[in-house]
Amino acid sequence: AVPGYTNAANAEQRRAAIDAPDLVGREADVEAVTALLSANAIVSIIGTGGIGKTSLARAVLASPALREQGQGDVHWIEAAPLRDGAQLVSVIAKTMAIDLGGSSCADQDLVSALADTHALVVLDNCEHLLREVAGLVHRASESAPGIRWLATSQAPLRVSGEVVYRLDPLDVPPHGTPLAAAMQRSAVDLLCRRATA
């Protein structure tokens, strides 16, 4: 059975369960991705491995501005350990409490079950399943307009309606920058915080 995804308390509990990272130098990125999610059904955060895509997505979910948008329930899907499209469908269904009952057309049944759902689904680290994710998101976007998708990946999904946000590296001071000025740059600030920790 599909639970009531518009339940505000349920949505807040799910958001609270997703750790909000202490980001350095990403305030503008959080604001930009949050704004994109308010106006688009499919948003992908793109960047090289280790640049901070997952942390940015978590920070977006924790932002007060996103809560004000009323995105409904929030579901975090960690795609990195998944091997194929069948596992992807199974994990999404399980996370969203959708019983597919061993269906031979699980992906179609999942899309049908999402038709009247209002929710935000995050697909984290999905670059190795781009074709499968793109196919599912494309089908769902046509029949489940209440679902918003936020993907983190090293490459875009390349589906209709997708808005790509390319995440750049943190700000690094140019060679010869005085120490006081260099300390104001986000990359140096992060380095100092990690060293202190």
Side-chain angles (χ1 to χ4, degrees):
V2 181
Y5 290 107
T6 56
N7 182 296
N10 190 22
E12 286 302 312
Q13 288 172 355
R14 288 187 183 274
R15 282 191 180 96
I18 298 171
D19 294 333
D22 182 21
L23 289 185
V24 175
R26 294 293 189 197
E27 296 81 6
D29 296 307
V30 172
E31 290 180 10
V33 174
T34 302
L36 289 176
L37 276 173
S38 72
N40 301 279
I42 308 167
V43 177
S44 295
I45 302 172
I46 305 302
T48 58
I51 201 168
K53 300 181 296 294
T54 297
S55 294
L56 175 57
R58 290 184 182 279
V60 167
L61 294 188
S63 71
L66 187 74
R67 291 189 179 100
E68 292 172 4
Q69 292 177 15
Q71 293 284 350
D73 209 350
V74 176
H75 302 278
W76 185 279
I77 310 297
E78 176 51 64
L82 306 182
R83 296 187 306 272
D84 54 38
Q87 278 193 332
L88 175 68
V89 169
S90 176
V91 169
I92 292 174
K94 181 177 180 181
T95 302
M96 299 182 74
I98 297 172
D99 183 8
L100 298 177
S103 170
S104 59
C105 301
D107 57 340
Q108 294 176 14
D109 289 346
L110 174 62
V111 170
S112 296
L114 295 176
D116 298 320
T117 302
H118 181 69
L120 171 61
V121 179
V122 183
L123 300 169
D124 189 39
N125 296 311
C126 61
E127 53 270 351
H128 63 299
L129 293 174
L130 282 179
R131 183 173 57 84
E132 294 86 347
V133 169
L136 177 64
V137 169
H138 173 71
R139 290 190 298 277
S141 66
E142 294 182 334
S143 60
I147 301 289
R148 297 274 187 236
W149 301 90
L150 176 60
T152 73
S153 174
Q154 294 184 30
L157 301 178
R158 302 189 189 285
V159 297
S160 177
E162 177 188 26
V163 176
V164 174
Y165 186 83
R166 188 165 300 278
L167 187 60
D168 294 321
L170 290 173
D171 188 23
V172 177
H175 180 70
T177 301
L179 179 59
M183 294 291 287
Q184 302 302 313
R185 301 295 182 108
S186 55
V188 177
D189 185 12
L190 178 62
L191 174 64
C192 292
R193 292 187 190 205
R194 292 291 184 266
T196 300

